[in-house]
Amino acid sequence: MRNFILLFCLLCIQQGFAQDYTVEDVMRLRLRNIGPIIQENQVKGYYAFYQVARADRGNRIFMLKILDENAQEVASSSLVKSKFTYLTEGVYNGKAILFSFIDTRERTAELVTYDLSAQQIGSLRYPRMRGNVWRATYGYSMIEGEESSNLTIYPAGESGFIRQSFVDTRKTGYKLEFLPNDLGESGRWEKSSDPQSREFEVPEIADVHAPFLISGIALRRNSSSRDIHYNLQLRDIYSGEALFEQPLYDKQYKLSFLMGKFHPKRNEIMVVGEYFRPQDKVFNGKSLGLYIMGLDLEGNINRKVFLSWQEDISKFLSVNEKGRLDEGGFLAFHRAVLDRDGELYFVAERYRKAVSGTGVALNILSAAAGSESSGIAYLKMVVEEMLVFDLSEDLTLEEVKIFEKRPNSILLPEGWGWFSSKALAQYMASFGWFDYNYTQEAPDDKSFYATFISMDKEKKEGRKPYMGVIIKDPEGEFSLDKVDLRTDARRINVLPASPGKVMILEYYKRERRLSMRLEEFNY
Amino acid sequence: MKLPILFMLLFGSITLTAQSLDFLPAPPPNLLDRETELYYESRLKSLQKNLPLQGPGKRAMKRLYEARYEKLFRELRGGYMIDRKGISDLCQLVFERIIQANPDLQKLPLRLYVSEETGPNAVSLGEGTVILYLGLLRRLENQHQLAFVISHEIAHFVLDHSRNTMVEQITYAYNRAAREAEAARIENSSRAYEEVVNLLQKRLYQRHRYSRQAEFEADSLGLRFVMATSYAPEGALGLLEILDQVDADKFQDSIAYRQRFDQAAYPFQDRWMKPPAKSGFIYGKNDFALEMAEDSVGTHPDCQLRIQVLQRQLAANQSSLQLARGRQRDALFRLLHPQMDKEWLTSFYRNGQVGKSLYYSLKALTFYQDDPYVHSMVGLSLYHLYQSKKNHRLGKVLDFPQPKQPEDYQTFLTFVRNLKLKELLGLCQAYMGAQPEAWNSYEPILFAKVCAASLSPESARFQELSKTYQKTFPQGVYLEEWKALAQP
């Protein structure tokens, strides 16, 4: 999330008089260290991890607070750790909570598990990481991606967790491991990519639906290559055995990987993404449209649908054969949601590259002042309206809903203007620069909430920041709700919450107080 | 003032306010007149003159006094105090009688205020000002109990408890050498965390031990002050018994949601009472605060223990104790309770605790059946909950259900949280629509009806009610709020 790395300070947390959960005497807290505890894309609680005292020269005493999904405190526990420790993820599996820490000085990772009363039940420290493995691990831990999803650790039933990490191979590869709740040896397995592989391999775990683990493996010659191809992998989470691993392939097209999900009703693996001409590169090429594929549990393709910009999507949007919209710009697909009846939705956002008046002016001024550059590109990215593609169970595109919002300009660093629009969109997505925030799927598997942060401009009130929520209710109706984010507080931030709600964090600097409150969406 | 005249005055006002259609919320008073301001400024100067500390400690103590007065000024000016015939007069009467009966107190700079704070408490600011909370007054049963509350707080001032605590804490905070020695010891220790916890515990225990000792002392001296008056000292025992059960609400019957909200225009739905799914977490088993023995962190000693100590003191001074006198409900309090309860409900509402205002209003309806003022509070609270939910501010005015809360309150929160925005609107309008037309002559009811109707601003009903309000109450207590509704 944007503005996420804010430094707040904190001494102690207590239950306040007010209706919200209040953190008093805030002195020092990295806001990144307040995050959601997630189970299968559902927020089950929150953690707050903050320094309370100095233990010795290199170590600090940290307090770890566990809050439930209504931000009520469950328990607190103290830990002595290196002062370079960061809590990067919190995952819940119904029986245990796993926290993942990294120590940026020692370059180590550590996992700690707690039972539901916050008693520590296990811990596991990994050896020091080097080179690409450390860089990739550190980069992943700093990702500003969707916070309603797991990043590297996933619940695997109630008995353990699946963790993905990087390993040193001929090129950098990956390791998947199953960790029991007590992080002991019993039931544990590890599966790594081929050590002789000539490609850089990064797994993207798409769905863990016991007993299946569905991953898309991105392969490329090196970490900066823009020519990416994907493998689809299905594993049994309890044995670790691969049920199949095969390239995402079509005779005519190159395919990208956007989502993979188990479809219980059809006992099928659903895979969706964009398709490209064979000579195009997935990272920066212009796609021809969207594909949806259904595979059985042995990897055989049951059905395959291509929705081309020219033939199918243009019925609902003015768009050319390469996905360029008539009003200018392209679509970035952020999330695909598959509901229990097999209906499919894509959440997208329009973006375009434009000349930046500020960039031009700054560069002219820099040149006049004798400086070589201003550090800002002449071009900027503009993100515009949100869109939701609605596909029926038989994968026919039925409707494209458009949700207007004010265009938001993003100034680009110098040199970025040379990248293609598609490549810029990839970078922007990984830095969290789109207005899109996250999507929550409700446990009924019929409704979802896609959120974005934007700004309204009103004559009397000036700028009015708000969180927009595209709501698809269980009856299939779409609506838009706006959560006003104006505040008297010094800073405001939002975190995902249980479906239909949002957690609002407000920091009052003068009172040194951080308040957390839950608000419900209206529809 | 002579007692019979006061009683007549009190009865006059109480008789009026006890009529269910006569209670009106008083506008927040500004009690900070020039005389009060000058009085407190001179008190501050005299307090700051004779400080027992030197250097930075002295400066810190000065700042603390200034902050304390700033807060008091804000509260006096900002309408946090209550100035209502009946409640305030009775408290002042008892206060004056205690001072008259104790010649030593007559020389002291003592003042008394009643605050609209909803908690069951009273405080001594440490320089002669005693503040009684409305939340405590409404739980009292007689003047004897009230006399003991006031005497107890005066005793804290006479015994200099607040000032002594301040000096002790500032002395510690500014004793750099002691703190540095402690820090060095902790830093060099291999068990740093345990050392920090032990230190915190020690400080907390010391402070609370002192605080609990101070309560016993204030009880004892306060009882002496009461015994010099004609009030029954057994009131002290009665009060402590009440405090012992203060967590149990005065309105104990459960809310009958279906009966209350099943309107022909808006039928009750079972879904509204569906409890939320349990989180699965086990609460408070591994809590740092709970690791410290619970009793050790209480600032007040156990009430039963205080009763025993006071009983010994009373037995030593009196031949016979009439314990029942301590719990007898007197006529004055019987008459004042409805007024106090309604002020108390209003206080939640006025201070933005709209969820609690609705909860306690619904509870109050189990006690004050069909009281129009309480019905108006239900309507107004529903209206504000709707507005808060619409603006995504509900979290600021309504709790989430959690295991630590009383079951009754959790049920209430579940009910409100289950209501969708349009249901809250429907419920508010149906509820106020069901109130008798005959009550429209009572301003709180009519205003609550205007608010409910304003949720459909284009409706003829809103226009009609709004006009009626303007015509009937051109100088009404809700006039400013009505203007905001009528001319948004």
Side-chain angles (χ1 to χ4, degrees), chain A residues 108-159:
Chain A
T108 53
E110 188 185 4
L111 307 178
V112 181
T113 49
Y114 293 86
D115 68 11
L116 301 186
S117 64
Q119 279 303 340
Q120 186 174 320
I121 51 175
S123 74
L124 184 62
R125 181 179 279 272
Y126 291 89
R128 185 180 171 89
M129 290 171 266
R130 292 169 203 286
N132 273 348
V133 172
W134 166 248
R135 278 193 286 279
T137 305
Y138 182 75
Y140 241 77
S141 68
M142 297 295 148
I143 265 179
E144 306 280 327
E146 271 204 56
E147 290 172 51
S148 66
S149 309
N150 303 86
L151 271 175
T152 62
I153 301 168
Y154 299 77
E158 289 188 338
S159 55

Side-chain angles (χ1 to χ4, degrees), chain A residues 15 17-20 44-45 53-56 61 63 66-68 70 72-78 80 92 97 116-119 481-484 486 501 506 508 517-523, chain B residues 186-187 189 192-193 196 279-289 291 352-356 388-404 409 417 419-422:
Chain A
Q15 186 69 46
F17 144 85
Q19 277 73 15
D20 45 9
K44 295 293 176 182
R54 192 179 143 135
D56 56 42
I61 301 169
M63 191 61 81
I66 298 172
L67 313 177
D68 70 10
N70 294 332
Q72 304 304 328
E73 189 172 323
V74 176
S76 56
S77 183
S78 61
V80 176
Y92 176 73
I97 309 158
L116 301 186
S117 64
Q119 279 303 340
D481 190 23
K482 289 183 177 182
V483 179
D484 191 346
R486 281 173 301 173
K501 302 186 187 93
E506 287 172 305
Y508 297 86
R517 74 172 209 274
L518 273 177
E519 291 299 345
E520 290 163 58
F521 304 139
N522 294 318
Y523 58 96
Chain B
I186 290 169
E187 245 178 57
S189 165
Y193 175 66
V196 170
S279 77
F281 289 119
I282 301 162
Y283 293 78
K285 288 278 181 201
N286 188 21
D287 197 317
F288 167 73
E291 282 172 19
Q353 293 180 278
V354 189
K356 289 213 167 100
S388 303
K389 190 170 169 67
K390 187 179 161 198
N391 297 317
H392 304 97
R393 292 277 191 276
L394 197 63
K396 286 191 182 279
V397 299
L398 183 79
D399 289 324
F400 258 95
Q402 54 166 307
K404 292 175 195 166
Y409 188 49
R417 290 274 170 195
L419 295 170
K420 290 187 185 301
L421 187 66
K422 57 188 176 196

Side-chain angles (χ1 to χ4, degrees), chain A residues 358-372:
Chain A
T358 313
V360 171
L362 283 173
N363 278 295
I364 291 170
L365 284 172
S366 299
S371 171
E372 279 187 9

Side-chain angles (χ1 to χ4, degrees), chain B residues 238-375:
Chain B
L239 172 78
L240 289 171
E241 271 189 5
I242 291 171
L243 291 179
D244 198 31
Q245 294 147 16
V246 83
D247 289 339
D249 195 70
K250 181 174 169 181
F251 308 130
Q252 291 196 0
D253 289 343
S254 298
I255 301 163
Y257 292 92
R258 180 175 289 278
Q259 182 194 333
R260 193 62 64 198
F261 291 110
D262 190 24
Q263 312 289 348
Y266 213 81
F268 190 85
Q269 293 185 38
D270 292 336
R271 185 181 60 77
W272 294 344
M273 302 310 295
K274 191 181 169 196
K278 293 229 157 82
S279 77
F281 289 119
I282 301 162
Y283 293 78
K285 288 278 181 201
N286 188 21
D287 197 317
F288 167 73
L290 290 177
E291 282 172 19
M292 300 175 165
E294 273 186 34
D295 183 54
S296 306
V297 294
T299 55
H300 281 57
D302 178 74
C303 285
Q304 289 302 328
L305 190 61
R306 289 169 74 183
I307 289 172
Q308 284 171 26
V309 173
L310 283 183
Q311 270 177 329
R312 280 204 296 274
Q313 188 178 339
L314 280 171
N317 287 281
Q318 289 190 202
S319 52
S320 65
L321 275 176
Q322 295 175 297
L323 285 177
R325 278 185 78 189
R327 293 301 302 264
Q328 266 170 9
R329 186 171 293 233
D330 69 22
L332 260 176
F333 268 81
R334 203 172 299 136
L335 283 167
L336 279 173
H337 270 153
Q339 190 194 53
M340 289 174 175
D341 286 336
K342 288 173 192 175
E343 281 287 358
W344 183 71
L345 293 177
T346 312
S347 179
F348 283 112
Y349 176 75
R350 199 152 45 201
N351 292 311
Q353 293 180 278
V354 189
K356 289 213 167 100
S357 151
L358 177 61
Y359 172 65
Y360 287 115
S361 297
L362 290 170
K363 294 282 276 182
L365 280 174
T366 64
F367 196 82
Y368 300 111
Q369 309 244 337
D370 281 331
D371 185 290
Y373 184 75
V374 185
H375 281 299

